[in-house]
Amino acid sequence: MASLYVLLALSQAEAETTQGSTAILITVDQSGKGDYEKIQDAIDAVPSNNVDLVFIRVKPGVYKEKITVPADKPFITISGTRAVDTIITWNDSGDIFESATFSVLASDFIGRYLTIQNTYGSGGKAVALRASGDRAAFYVCRILSYQDTLLDDTGRHYYNNCYIEGATDFICGNGASFFEKCHLHSITNGGGAITAQRRMSPSEDTGFFFFGCKITGVKTAVLGRPWGVYSRVIFAFTYMPNIILPQGWNDWGNSADQLSSVYYGQYKCSGPGAVTSKRVDWSRVLTSEEAAPFITKDSIDGKAWIRAAPTSFKKKAFPPKN
């Protein structure tokens, strides 16, 4: 019964959204007591062009799988019960789009209480999570790698109470993403960038917006560097320790003309690393009016699509286990 209560419990963030509804329940259990023993098999069982809410409950275990949620399978939730007990792991490097342990290509996806990791280490691009679908949300997940940990590629995304660890550009891509109460941990040997946002045009409504987050690290780091000439990153109400270098940001070799279109800002951050007196002159200390568009989930139109956990479940016949 305890696990059922965990499944039905709503996080505070989820409770703020629209009420949950009934979902089809699929159970993944490595012991063979569920519907499937592998997470990918459970995803594969969901029909193409799915229109139902599907809740894939993953029992504790270490799942050595390279997982893809295809674009034609929306409305899937994959949930553990505790992130430290439900670990999805792979070891791959190379192309930034192909190396990911876990790739979300579908819209309306939710990940909950999962550890997603790429154990490749230093020396190459090694993505743990690739988020390339629209309207994806992640709650209390641990996302771990070294370089390019979270490829927040494209679409609107919401991260709540997630732990994200890496060294080089470890939150990167061109998503429109709101990070609420997340913990960002830098493991760089010194000077590595936390973000590399790739907005390429002023017409793109994208950017990384951090609200009420916490930064930690083992050595020095910068808040970000511009992958795109219109790169946009905002930190608000975020704790920054003294590992953040006084300049705050790295220019990545861009010219002064290119940097003039970058939009990097802070608003009411705290900690010794949040001091702005020595920041690069192309970053900003935002006023309340300037910060307002970026410090709520409205920045990603969240009220229209962030949904609560389902309140009831039903079973449905799916293809048998292999």
Side-chain angles (χ1 to χ4, degrees):
M1 289 296 292
S3 62
L4 180 59
Y5 291 140
V6 171
L7 282 171
L8 294 176
L10 298 179
S11 72
Q12 179 180 356
E14 290 170 315
E16 294 172 354
T17 62
T18 56
Q19 291 300 311
S21 54
T22 300
I24 296 167
L25 178 64
I26 302 174
T27 301
V28 177
D29 188 340
Q30 290 178 322
S31 72
K33 296 179 181 178
D35 301 300
Y36 300 95
E37 295 179 16
K38 294 183 178 181
I39 298 168
Q40 188 65 57
D41 288 346
I43 296 168
D44 292 346
V46 177
S48 296
N49 304 312
N50 172 58
V51 296
D52 295 312
L53 294 179
V54 176
F55 192 102
I56 298 175
R57 178 179 62 182
V58 182
K59 291 296 187 72
V62 177
Y63 293 82
K64 295 181 179 180
E65 299 188 51
K66 191 177 176 77
I67 290 171
T68 298
V69 183
D72 64 349
K73 297 190 178 185
F75 305 114
I76 289 176
T77 294
I78 298 179
S79 178
T81 50
R82 292 199 313 164
V84 294
D85 294 335
T86 312
I87 299 168
I88 301 166
T89 183
W90 200 252
N91 181 332
D92 201 359
S93 181
D95 181 87
I96 192 170
F97 295 102
E98 302 300 327
S99 65
T101 298
F102 197 117
S103 296
V104 178
L105 310 183
S107 63
D108 299 288
F109 174 86
I110 296 177
R112 303 169 73 240
Y113 309 119
L114 303 170
T115 291
I116 301 168
Q117 66 183 23
N118 188 327
T119 59
Y120 182 82
S122 61
K125 300 169 184 175
V127 175
L129 172 63
R130 172 187 173 187
S132 296
D134 194 22
R135 302 184 301 272
F138 299 86
Y139 299 91
V140 200
C141 289
R142 299 168 70 241
I143 306 166
L144 315 175
S145 187
Y146 190 88
Q147 182 172 341
D148 304 331
T149 302
L150 170 57
L151 176 55
D152 192 82
D153 177 33
T154 184
R156 292 166 291 176
H157 308 139
Y158 176 58
Y159 301 85
N160 181 276
N161 278 286
C162 290
Y163 174 89
I164 307 167
E165 178 182 287
T168 304
D169 306 331
F170 65 91
I171 303 175
C172 60
N174 196 21
S177 299
F178 193 81
F179 298 78
E180 186 170 11
K181 299 179 182 177
C182 291
H183 181 176
L184 317 177
H185 183 65
S186 171
I187 55 173
T188 178
N189 289 326
I194 293 172
T195 68
Q197 208 279 333
R198 203 182 185 183
R199 185 169 176 251
M200 298 298 291
S201 162
S203 65
E204 292 182 297
D205 194 16
T206 62
F208 298 160
F209 314 126
F210 297 89
F211 180 87
C213 295
K214 176 176 72 172
I215 297 171
T216 57
V218 297
K219 290 191 178 178
T220 59
V222 293
L223 298 170
R225 56 181 183 167
W227 192 6
V229 293
Y230 286 87
S231 181
R232 183 163 61 177
V233 180
I234 307 297
F235 285 89
F237 300 102
T238 291
Y239 177 80
M240 300 179 181
N242 58 10
I243 69 150
I244 299 301
L245 291 168
Q247 66 266 30
W249 309 87
N250 180 286
D251 64 16
W252 211 347
N254 287 283
S255 67
D257 285 345
Q258 291 170 317
L259 293 169
S260 67
S261 57
V262 168
Y263 196 99
Y264 286 163
Q266 285 180 222
Y267 178 69
K268 293 191 176 181
C269 293
S270 61
V275 176
T276 59
S277 59
K278 296 182 179 179
R279 287 291 193 256
V280 295
D281 59 10
W282 39 273
S283 68
R284 308 161 188 249
V285 178
L286 302 181
T287 65
S288 297
E289 291 75 18
E290 290 171 329
F294 308 115
I295 60 175
T296 73
K297 291 188 281 293
D298 290 343
S299 61
I300 57 170
D301 197 26
K303 291 179 181 177
W305 60 268
I306 298 174
R307 65 180 187 270
T311 53
S312 60
F313 299 94
K314 62 182 179 181
K315 298 292 288 184
K316 184 175 180 180
F318 284 106
K321 294 177 285 187
N322 292 333

